Amino acid sequence: MEEFLTAQFWLGLGTIVWVNVILSGDNAVVIALAARSLPEPQRRQAVLWGAGAAVVLRIVLTVVAVKLLELPYLKLIGAVLLLWIAVQLLVPEDESGEDDAHSSAHLLGAIKTILIADLVMSVDNVLAVAAAAKGSFLLLVIGLAISIPLVVFGATMLMGLMERYPLIVTLGAAILGWTAGDMGVTDPALAHWIVTNMQWIRTFEVVPSLGAVAVVAVGKWLAGRKRRAPPA
């Protein structure tokens, strides 16, 4: 209880919440994209369960993964996985019946997509939150728990905008592609070599830009093929 009475605790708590507000924008985007095609009741469940489970996952990651993030090629693998997720989010789902089993399968699929994407995108969040918590597990848990409604609100607002402005879906996928490209070039296996030999790649954000363009191009191409395919 004494920890609650210190200025350091409240300063750290405010820092963690602020870090999550700043860094969780892409997480809100992927939650909104993954849940947008669900029926309304399942959509709310996907947002709540996805955001809640993602924050719990991030707590675990922050405790155990700081050292793992220093391993080479981990970010590269995550970048490739995030590119695949972003492309898939642009491909329309199959239209079928409204039976409970079908809805449940789509709900579980949306939650799985949210968790995988959050796991991949949590690198910056993990490092920033761990630094702000300064070894306090209590501070870490409280700060991330407070961030849940912020992420839920962001995702809910985005889904409403996506229904009115479909272009936002494409922009959201492009943001994930940008994030994937940035993850790739900051991997410990490449970062030093790029800074030493090809600094212009980082200066002009070449790889993140290519990631955003590639996701939109491939996603739109696959979506077009799926729409033109004859029904089974």
Side-chain angles (χ1 to χ4, degrees):
M1 290 296 295
E2 292 181 2
E3 190 174 359
F4 285 102
L5 303 177
T6 63
Q8 183 180 2
F9 175 86
W10 293 104
L11 180 61
L13 181 61
T15 302
I16 289 175
V17 173
W18 182 245
V19 163
N20 276 281
V21 171
I22 298 299
L23 296 180
S24 292
D26 47 5
N27 301 81
V29 167
V30 79
I31 290 173
L33 286 171
R36 74 185 189 281
S37 59
L38 293 170
E40 186 61 32
Q42 283 81 18
R43 182 184 298 182
R44 288 195 297 269
Q45 290 179 47
V47 171
L48 291 172
W49 283 104
V55 171
V56 173
L57 177 65
R58 196 173 301 169
I59 292 172
V60 175
L61 278 175
T62 308
V63 174
V64 302
V66 173
K67 285 297 180 183
L68 290 178
L69 296 176
E70 298 174 2
L71 296 176
Y73 307 110
L74 192 63
K75 281 188 176 182
L76 281 175
I77 295 170
V80 172
L81 183 58
L82 185 56
L83 285 172
W84 179 82
I85 290 172
V87 168
Q88 292 301 310
L89 290 172
L90 284 177
V91 180
E93 296 180 2
D94 292 322
E95 303 261 342
S96 57
E98 293 292 324
D99 56 275
D100 291 341
H102 181 264
S103 296
S104 297
H106 277 250
L107 174 61
L108 292 174
I111 293 174
K112 182 177 71 173
T113 298
I114 291 166
L115 282 174
I116 293 174
D118 191 81
L119 173 65
V120 171
M121 293 188 298
S122 289
V123 174
D124 292 338
N125 306 55
V126 164
L127 292 176
V129 171
K134 297 180 179 178
S136 171
F137 182 73
L138 177 63
L139 187 57
L140 172 68
V141 172
I142 294 176
L144 291 178
I146 290 174
S147 73
I148 294 177
L150 300 175
V151 177
V152 169
F153 173 77
T156 303
M157 182 181 67
L158 279 172
M159 280 190 294
L161 290 173
M162 285 174 183
E163 289 182 347
R164 296 181 60 185
Y165 309 104
L167 178 62
I168 295 177
V169 175
T170 302
L171 293 176
I175 289 172
L176 299 182
W178 178 285
T179 303
D182 189 64
M183 284 178 61
V185 295
T186 56
D187 187 276
L190 298 177
H192 179 71
W193 185 89
I194 289 175
V195 169
T196 303
N197 299 284
M198 302 180 72
Q199 176 60 36
W200 58 273
I201 287 181
R202 293 292 291 146
T203 302
F204 297 105
E205 302 287 8
V206 173
V207 178
S209 300
L210 290 175
V213 171
V215 162
V216 173
V218 175
K220 291 293 186 182
W221 177 69
L222 290 175
R225 282 189 59 186
K226 191 164 187 177
R227 292 190 186 98
R228 292 191 298 269

